[in-house]
Amino acid sequence: MDYQQILQDAMEAARPVLGHGRVADYIPALASVDPQAFGMALATIDGEFHGVGDHETPFSIQSVSKLFTLALALAEGGDGLWKRVGREPSGNPFNSLIQLETEHGIPRNPFINAGALVVTDVLHTLTGDASGAVRDFLRAEAGNPSIATDPEVAASESETGLRNAALANFIASFGNLVNPVETVLEHYYAHCALRASCRDLALAGGFLARHGLRADGSRLLTRSDAKRVNAVMLTCGTYDAAGDFAYRVGLPGKSGVGGAILAIIPAVGALCAWSPGLDTAGNSVGATVALDYFSTVTGCSVF
Amino acid sequence: MDYQQILQDAMEAARPVLGHGRVADYIPALASVDPQAFGMALATIDGEFHGVGDHETPFSIQSVSKLFTLALALAEGGDGLWKRVGREPSGNPFNSLIQLETEHGIPRNPFINAGALVVTDVLHTLTGDASGAVRDFLRAEAGNPSIATDPEVAASESETGLRNAALANFIASFGNLVNPVETVLEHYYAHCALRASCRDLALAGGFLARHGLRADGSRLLTRSDAKRVNAVMLTCGTYDAAGDFAYRVGLPGKSGVGGAILAIIPAVGALCAWSPGLDTAGNSVGATVALDYFSTVTGCSVF
Amino acid sequence: MDYQQILQDAMEAARPVLGHGRVADYIPALASVDPQAFGMALATIDGEFHGVGDHETPFSIQSVSKLFTLALALAEGGDGLWKRVGREPSGNPFNSLIQLETEHGIPRNPFINAGALVVTDVLHTLTGDASGAVRDFLRAEAGNPSIATDPEVAASESETGLRNAALANFIASFGNLVNPVETVLEHYYAHCALRASCRDLALAGGFLARHGLRADGSRLLTRSDAKRVNAVMLTCGTYDAAGDFAYRVGLPGKSGVGGAILAIIPAVGALCAWSPGLDTAGNSVGATVALDYFSTVTGCSVF
Amino acid sequence: MDYQQILQDAMEAARPVLGHGRVADYIPALASVDPQAFGMALATIDGEFHGVGDHETPFSIQSVSKLFTLALALAEGGDGLWKRVGREPSGNPFNSLIQLETEHGIPRNPFINAGALVVTDVLHTLTGDASGAVRDFLRAEAGNPSIATDPEVAASESETGLRNAALANFIASFGNLVNPVETVLEHYYAHCALRASCRDLALAGGFLARHGLRADGSRLLTRSDAKRVNAVMLTCGTYDAAGDFAYRVGLPGKSGVGGAILAIIPAVGALCAWSPGLDTAGNSVGATVALDYFSTVTGCSVF
């Protein structure tokens, strides 16, 4: 398939909606991004790479980091993780505290904020440096040593992150955090504030298309675990719109409020689209349109 | 692949858990089924058929009927359906009224009871006989004219179905039922009370593996809509355990409290397993184990 | 105290808000009432009677009937009632189904719709004619044999009462209705559709000011039970605004969407104000202002 | 009335349940209290004082402090308070975060933890020392300069108070705290950790029986505001059992997990009972029985 042309066409398909939606503006560093920006990149398991638009522009990866946190925590610590976090869709906004109360501090899945805090706690216990582990993994897979936490974003998140502080204290009140609340929040903010490009993320997501193998051929996850992470992405990866994303795009995907969506085409490659305008569920409007176009034209849906 | 042998092995894998879980006992006709029963059948898109155990024993298909109701309503009436029912996982039990209240009578998805009532209403308006349409479709696809509603089960459901009557009245109070509450309930109970076997359901589900083509080669759904129904199955088809089912089995599946789970292997075939004991989420314990085994051994996961 | 003058002044205090709020319009018979109407009546335990404005105009008493249903059920059947209905404020709208689900079919209190359905069921079992019992009690206390159910209102309520049908079926699904759903709904609608005036209700409420003694001096409730019904009125009698009503008026009160509020001044008398415009919680705007004025001027608060 | 004898009898009535229920044990300093302890005191508006049992033993007043915080915030700052906190019963446990989410950070009432945090914030802005203001008020009213915060309890509360930290951060995330989260929590813990006896609290609560006048005859609250605080106590003062407390005792009351309940008999006096064992709603078992006895025998119910 002429992926370069298809990416080009996907960008054209998204163009009419660029600037639509709402750029995340709860911290200045996110609000200042160009709402018209758009990038898209595909890295295949055969080593092909294609990119269009601003595919080399770094942005704040935000919740896309939760995917890597989960994968690393599973790789390092195994299935015990699932005793502390579920894998069911929540049916509620990503930062809701409601289910946490009725479900006794066990977050519904690793991709809502509550769940990602628990996974960060797990990874921190395993590695001693949760955010560093995520950063190093991205650097290695993307071959880009410049990937780093934006300190301004991390600081702003921390200052304005009252809801996340509420979540972390609440989870801790149920005994489901091992490290101090402040430590978990610090590492959570640090991995969310990592800056990377579509190119970087498409390369870094490749292990999920390769059924667990890293870029260098070493194994991060078992074949089975890699498939299972894809399953969690598909059912829970795009906030309370996971059903709609599965319906439209048909691929496992993980989104972030920075505007990125990283999608996996099992046995084919990893695909990242980025555009800052968000829909009401918190997913990028432009990235969704581009991914929808791509999966429709290529037939690359898992279904 | 030697599917016959794999089915045989899947049945052996499930054997230790047969009798586990709880047989649905809210009506006598369901409670009297043999808890040790087990059947499994695979119908491939190439016309192969394999079955093991009680694969020709008819049982009450219950919520598996919701899959066919949805497909027929989409085939007959198109996308307008999605204005009246969502496609997001609910994060709540299948018969919960809670979200319906906060979401103003729009059920979260077509596979919780509330959503299936709305889809039944849609199909009834389109066809004048919602349950008859489902029955006739099953008969045609399975080539089995004996498929029919069990009148005793339908009557029992109706007598004991206070929760469903509550749901239907509640939805109607928001203006989201067109036909009389009694009519919708009658047809809902009638299609849930259809009796069919693993063989029948595997054959009837084939259109979703064939991307929309019926057994006779005619088109029921567009390629795109067939994929999308699979997506809704994967995210919402097994009650509030859809995430876990996706994680373990990795296939779109629709379960019923009669003990059946119908799973789709896109471009390969449709697979139905049946065993009456249910887990706390309402999914068959034995069928889940057998499907998990099958997908692990064959690698037939969508991820 | 010159109660006649105070009632006159209370009416003047309410005049500026008459026509404010929203007249209940879910059935034609309620919607056609004059939004400017206002009446107020006080019947003291000494046999004094005072009335102003439209105090002899009959209106639909609606949920005020729930007070009499409760008192009669307690009088006939005693404390066993509290096993089937709670006495805590709900913190939710009067017709919510949410708590009913999490609290397994035990309504929070006798004055939300769910609770009143259960009390109606209890009273029906005790008397064989729940709505007739309420009607006969009102007639006797008010000395007004013309008090009767408005058949048009009862029929309209029944036709449009999908939410109440949902509630009744839902409660029944938990096993908390003894009589058939249809019977309970019929009697519920019949006592809500009773027509009476401010004068009638002030006289009928007197037993709660007389600590349980009826107009003829016979005892309906023990002294203790009469106080307890007042307590339930104060904490739960004005929907999800009971706290605000207690704060402003400081008297036990029971409101109805017909626009009436019946308030009890223990050891002094019963006071009924009526004006059709409702606030967002479902309580009469004009009646609340008039009662607030009355209690402020007379000092007749229980606190 | 021979109040001394009635108090003696009330203590006897409570004796069989002393030791019942569960002593608050979330911090060591509370857990170590004698579960058999019981005290009760009445201070009338005429200056009479009666006490029985351990009525001079100081204990941790816990949530009873919320009553004084509210009164002082109203006295200092007036009605503006009600824009930041409601006055409706919550229908949920005292430390629930659920309603806070759906009601956008406005706590339901000043006596649930969330509401008390907001009132503490208000009082701190008005006085510069919220907990000091409460302490000084208690000292002055009780004529007891030894009333002080137990530093060990305050420190323990702070260390274990993850749920309260969650609440405070959550409220702050909605913009409903003015002072820093840490400051509000510190003062909240400090006034909850005040130690006082039944005698002290009965004397300190007198202003609510005197319709706003302090012990020295000066006015703290207007007559109207004093009544209104009583109204909020009655509808919201005993957690999610306020309806039951009103039903049984019929007096405005404020309880704390230290085992105290302070009840107001308007125009008569203030009554405090204390016993450490708590029921499932968090109210003292022994104190409730004693207050129930007292109000039944004396007829001192507001209804």
Side-chain angles (χ1 to χ4, degrees):
Chain A
M1 248 182 284
D2 183 352
Y3 284 129
Q4 187 67 34
Q5 183 59 46
I6 295 169
L7 290 185
Q8 198 69 41
D9 295 347
M11 180 166 66
E12 292 311 315
R15 198 175 301 280
V17 303
L18 300 185
H20 290 205
R22 185 184 168 94
V23 175
D25 58 1
Y26 62 95
I27 56 170
L30 290 180
S32 65
V33 75
D34 174 12
Q36 299 288 335
F38 178 89
M40 193 169 187
L42 170 69
T44 73
I45 62 168
D46 307 324
E48 271 186 67
F49 178 84
H50 304 277
V52 295
D54 308 314
H55 73 275
E56 296 199 308
T57 305
F59 47 77
S60 194
I61 71 169
Q62 296 292 319
S63 293
V64 180
S65 68
K66 294 170 182 171
L67 173 62
F68 301 105
T69 317
L70 172 64
L72 293 173
L74 281 172
E76 296 285 337
D79 275 4
L81 176 78
W82 301 117
K83 291 179 187 147
R84 293 179 53 194
V85 62
R87 48 195 185 228
E88 292 304 326
S90 75
N92 276 300
F94 63 95
N95 60 359
S96 174
L97 284 88
I98 289 180
Q99 274 174 328
L100 216 44
E101 180 161 335
T102 53
E103 299 181 357
H104 311 293
I106 306 295
R108 275 246 143 187
N109 67 64
F111 293 151
I112 53 173
N113 289 16
L117 286 163
V118 170
V119 177
T120 300
D121 183 58
V122 169
L123 183 60
H124 194 70
T125 300
L126 292 165
T127 64
D129 181 4
S131 58
V134 175
R135 180 199 59 215
D136 293 347
F137 179 79
L138 291 187
R139 285 181 178 176
E141 296 303 294
N144 179 356
S146 74
I147 291 171
T149 291
D150 181 328
E152 190 194 340
V153 171
S156 289
E157 301 265 17
S158 179
E159 277 159 32
T160 61
L162 293 160
R163 178 71 79 107
N164 285 321
L167 280 169
N169 278 287
F170 200 34
I171 297 164
S173 77
F174 289 102
N176 199 10
L177 288 188
V178 170
N179 297 285
V181 165
E182 293 69 26
T183 305
V184 175
L185 284 169
E186 180 196 333
H187 281 268
Y188 175 83
Y189 290 133
H191 67 63
C192 286
L194 285 164
R195 286 174 67 77
S197 65
C198 288
R199 179 193 163 279
D200 296 331
L201 291 178
L203 289 166
F207 73 101
L208 289 170
R210 285 185 297 265
H211 294 129
L213 296 183
R214 294 183 60 162
D216 65 5
S218 67
R219 183 163 291 284
L220 180 71
L221 295 177
T222 63
R223 187 175 184 87
S224 180
D225 272 348
K227 290 186 175 191
R228 287 167 168 177
V229 171
N230 284 341
V232 180
M233 284 177 84
L234 194 124
T235 52
C236 312
T238 41
Y239 308 121
D240 195 25
D244 195 57
F245 188 83
Y247 183 87
R248 290 178 63 186
V249 177
L251 294 173
K254 182 71 206 84
S255 61
V257 294
I261 305 180
L262 174 58
I264 306 302
I265 316 168
V268 174
L271 183 66
C272 182
W274 169 63
S275 179
L278 307 177
D279 63 24
T280 53
N283 298 308
S284 167
V285 175
T288 303
V289 167
L291 292 169
D292 187 353
Y293 179 89
F294 183 96
S295 76
T296 303
V297 166
T298 60
C300 279
S301 148
V302 300
F303 300 111
Chain B
M1 249 182 283
D2 184 352
Y3 285 129
Q4 187 66 35
Q5 183 60 47
I6 296 169
L7 289 185
Q8 197 69 39
D9 294 347
M11 181 165 65
E12 293 311 315
R15 197 175 302 279
V17 303
L18 299 186
H20 290 204
R22 186 184 167 91
V23 174
D25 58 1
Y26 61 96
I27 57 172
L30 290 181
S32 65
V33 75
D34 174 11
Q36 298 288 336
F38 177 89
M40 194 170 186
L42 169 70
T44 73
I45 62 168
D46 307 324
E48 273 187 64
F49 178 85
H50 304 277
V52 295
D54 307 314
H55 72 275
E56 295 198 309
T57 306
F59 48 77
S60 194
I61 71 169
Q62 294 293 321
S63 294
V64 180
S65 69
K66 294 172 183 171
L67 173 63
F68 301 105
T69 317
L70 172 64
L72 293 173
L74 281 172
E76 296 284 336
D79 274 3
L81 175 78
W82 302 117
K83 292 180 186 145
R84 293 179 53 194
V85 63
R87 47 195 185 228
E88 293 304 326
S90 76
N92 277 300
F94 64 94
N95 59 359
S96 173
L97 284 87
I98 289 180
Q99 274 175 327
L100 216 44
E101 181 162 336
T102 53
E103 299 182 357
H104 312 293
I106 306 296
R108 275 246 144 185
N109 68 62
F111 294 151
I112 52 174
N113 290 16
L117 286 163
V118 169
V119 177
T120 301
D121 183 58
V122 169
L123 183 60
H124 194 70
T125 299
L126 291 165
T127 63
D129 181 5
S131 57
V134 175
R135 180 199 60 217
D136 292 348
F137 179 80
L138 291 186
R139 286 180 177 176
E141 297 302 295
N144 179 357
S146 75
I147 292 171
T149 291
D150 181 328
E152 189 194 340
V153 171
S156 290
E157 300 266 16
S158 179
E159 278 160 31
T160 61
L162 293 161
R163 179 71 78 105
N164 285 321
L167 279 169
N169 277 287
F170 200 33
I171 297 164
S173 78
F174 290 102
N176 199 11
L177 287 187
V178 170
N179 297 286
V181 164
E182 293 70 25
T183 305
V184 175
L185 284 168
E186 179 196 332
H187 281 269
Y188 175 84
Y189 290 132
H191 67 65
C192 286
L194 284 164
R195 286 175 67 79
S197 66
C198 288
R199 179 194 163 280
D200 295 331
L201 290 178
L203 290 166
F207 71 101
L208 288 170
R210 286 185 298 264
H211 295 129
L213 296 184
R214 296 182 60 161
D216 64 4
S218 67
R219 183 162 291 283
L220 179 72
L221 294 177
T222 64
R223 186 174 185 88
S224 180
D225 271 349
K227 290 186 175 191
R228 288 168 168 177
V229 170
N230 284 341
V232 180
M233 284 176 84
L234 193 125
T235 52
C236 312
T238 41
Y239 308 123
D240 196 25
D244 195 58
F245 189 84
Y247 183 87
R248 291 178 63 186
V249 177
L251 294 173
K254 183 71 207 83
S255 60
V257 294
I261 306 181
L262 174 58
I264 306 301
I265 316 167
V268 173
L271 184 65
C272 183
W274 169 63
S275 179
L278 306 178
D279 62 24
T280 54
N283 298 308
S284 167
V285 174
T288 302
V289 167
L291 291 170
D292 188 354
Y293 179 90
F294 183 95
S295 76
T296 302
V297 167
T298 60
C300 279
S301 149
V302 300
F303 300 112
Chain C
M1 249 182 283
D2 184 351
Y3 285 129
Q4 186 66 34
Q5 184 60 47
I6 295 169
L7 290 185
Q8 197 70 39
D9 295 347
M11 180 165 66
E12 292 311 316
R15 197 174 302 278
V17 304
L18 300 185
H20 291 203
R22 184 184 168 95
V23 174
D25 58 2
Y26 61 95
I27 56 171
L30 289 181
S32 66
V33 75
D34 173 11
Q36 298 289 334
F38 179 89
M40 194 170 187
L42 169 69
T44 74
I45 62 168
D46 306 324
E48 272 186 67
F49 178 84
H50 304 277
V52 295
D54 308 314
H55 72 274
E56 297 199 307
T57 305
F59 48 77
S60 195
I61 70 170
Q62 295 292 320
S63 293
V64 180
S65 69
K66 294 171 183 171
L67 173 62
F68 301 105
T69 317
L70 172 64
L72 293 172
L74 281 172
E76 296 284 337
D79 275 3
L81 176 77
W82 301 117
K83 292 181 187 145
R84 293 180 51 196
V85 63
R87 48 197 185 226
E88 293 303 326
S90 75
N92 277 301
F94 62 96
N95 59 359
S96 173
L97 283 88
I98 289 179
Q99 275 175 327
L100 216 44
E101 180 161 336
T102 53
E103 299 182 356
H104 311 293
I106 305 295
R108 275 247 142 186
N109 68 63
F111 293 151
I112 52 173
N113 290 16
L117 286 163
V118 170
V119 178
T120 301
D121 183 57
V122 169
L123 184 59
H124 194 70
T125 299
L126 292 164
T127 64
D129 181 5
S131 58
V134 175
R135 179 198 61 216
D136 293 347
F137 179 80
L138 291 187
R139 285 180 177 175
E141 297 303 295
N144 180 357
S146 74
I147 292 171
T149 290
D150 182 327
E152 189 194 340
V153 171
S156 291
E157 300 267 17
S158 179
E159 278 160 31
T160 61
L162 293 161
R163 178 72 79 109
N164 284 321
L167 280 168
N169 278 287
F170 200 33
I171 297 164
S173 78
F174 290 102
N176 199 11
L177 287 188
V178 171
N179 297 286
V181 165
E182 294 69 26
T183 304
V184 175
L185 284 169
E186 179 196 334
H187 281 268
Y188 175 82
Y189 291 133
H191 67 63
C192 286
L194 284 163
R195 287 174 66 78
S197 65
C198 287
R199 180 194 163 280
D200 296 331
L201 291 178
L203 290 165
F207 72 101
L208 288 170
R210 285 185 299 265
H211 295 130
L213 296 184
R214 295 182 59 160
D216 64 6
S218 66
R219 183 162 290 285
L220 179 72
L221 295 176
T222 64
R223 187 175 184 87
S224 180
D225 273 347
K227 290 185 176 192
R228 288 169 167 175
V229 171
N230 284 341
V232 180
M233 283 176 84
L234 195 124
T235 51
C236 313
T238 42
Y239 308 121
D240 194 25
D244 194 58
F245 189 83
Y247 183 86
R248 291 178 63 185
V249 177
L251 293 173
K254 182 71 207 84
S255 60
V257 294
I261 306 180
L262 173 58
I264 306 302
I265 316 168
V268 174
L271 184 65
C272 183
W274 168 63
S275 180
L278 306 177
D279 62 25
T280 53
N283 298 307
S284 167
V285 174
T288 302
V289 168
L291 292 168
D292 187 352
Y293 179 90
F294 183 95
S295 77
T296 303
V297 166
T298 60
C300 279
S301 148
V302 299
F303 299 112
Chain D
M1 245 181 286
D2 184 352
Y3 285 129
Q4 187 66 35
Q5 184 59 49
I6 296 170
L7 290 185
Q8 198 69 39
D9 295 346
M11 182 166 64
E12 293 311 315
R15 198 175 300 279
V17 303
L18 300 185
H20 291 203
R22 184 184 169 92
V23 174
D25 57 2
Y26 62 96
I27 57 172
L30 290 181
S32 65
V33 75
D34 174 11
Q36 299 288 335
F38 178 88
M40 193 169 188
L42 169 69
T44 73
I45 62 169
D46 307 325
E48 273 187 65
F49 177 85
H50 304 276
V52 296
D54 308 314
H55 72 276
E56 296 198 309
T57 306
F59 47 77
S60 195
I61 72 170
Q62 295 292 321
S63 293
V64 181
S65 69
K66 294 172 182 171
L67 174 62
F68 301 105
T69 317
L70 172 64
L72 293 172
L74 281 173
E76 296 284 337
D79 275 3
L81 176 78
W82 301 117
K83 291 179 187 146
R84 293 180 50 196
V85 62
R87 48 195 184 228
E88 293 304 327
S90 76
N92 277 301
F94 64 95
N95 60 359
S96 173
L97 283 88
I98 289 180
Q99 273 174 329
L100 217 43
E101 180 162 335
T102 53
E103 299 182 357
H104 312 294
I106 305 295
R108 276 247 143 185
N109 68 63
F111 293 151
I112 52 175
N113 290 17
L117 286 163
V118 170
V119 177
T120 300
D121 183 58
V122 169
L123 184 60
H124 194 71
T125 299
L126 291 165
T127 64
D129 181 4
S131 58
V134 174
R135 179 200 60 215
D136 293 347
F137 179 80
L138 292 187
R139 286 180 177 177
E141 297 303 294
N144 179 356
S146 74
I147 292 171
T149 290
D150 182 328
E152 189 195 339
V153 171
S156 290
E157 301 265 16
S158 179
E159 277 160 31
T160 61
L162 294 160
R163 179 72 77 107
N164 285 320
L167 280 169
N169 278 287
F170 200 33
I171 297 165
S173 78
F174 289 102
N176 199 12
L177 287 188
V178 170
N179 297 286
V181 164
E182 292 70 25
T183 305
V184 175
L185 284 168
E186 179 196 333
H187 282 269
Y188 175 83
Y189 291 132
H191 67 64
C192 286
L194 284 164
R195 286 175 66 78
S197 66
C198 288
R199 179 194 164 280
D200 296 330
L201 290 178
L203 289 165
F207 71 100
L208 288 170
R210 286 185 298 264
H211 295 129
L213 296 183
R214 295 181 59 159
D216 64 4
S218 67
R219 183 163 290 285
L220 179 73
L221 294 176
T222 64
R223 187 175 183 87
S224 179
D225 272 348
K227 289 186 175 190
R228 288 168 169 177
V229 171
N230 285 340
V232 180
M233 284 176 82
L234 194 124
T235 51
C236 312
T238 40
Y239 308 122
D240 195 26
D244 195 57
F245 189 84
Y247 183 87
R248 291 178 63 187
V249 177
L251 293 173
K254 183 71 208 83
S255 60
V257 294
I261 306 180
L262 174 58
I264 306 301
I265 317 167
V268 174
L271 183 65
C272 183
W274 169 63
S275 180
L278 307 178
D279 62 25
T280 53
N283 298 306
S284 167
V285 174
T288 302
V289 167
L291 291 170
D292 187 354
Y293 179 90
F294 183 95
S295 77
T296 302
V297 167
T298 60
C300 278
S301 149
V302 300
F303 300 111

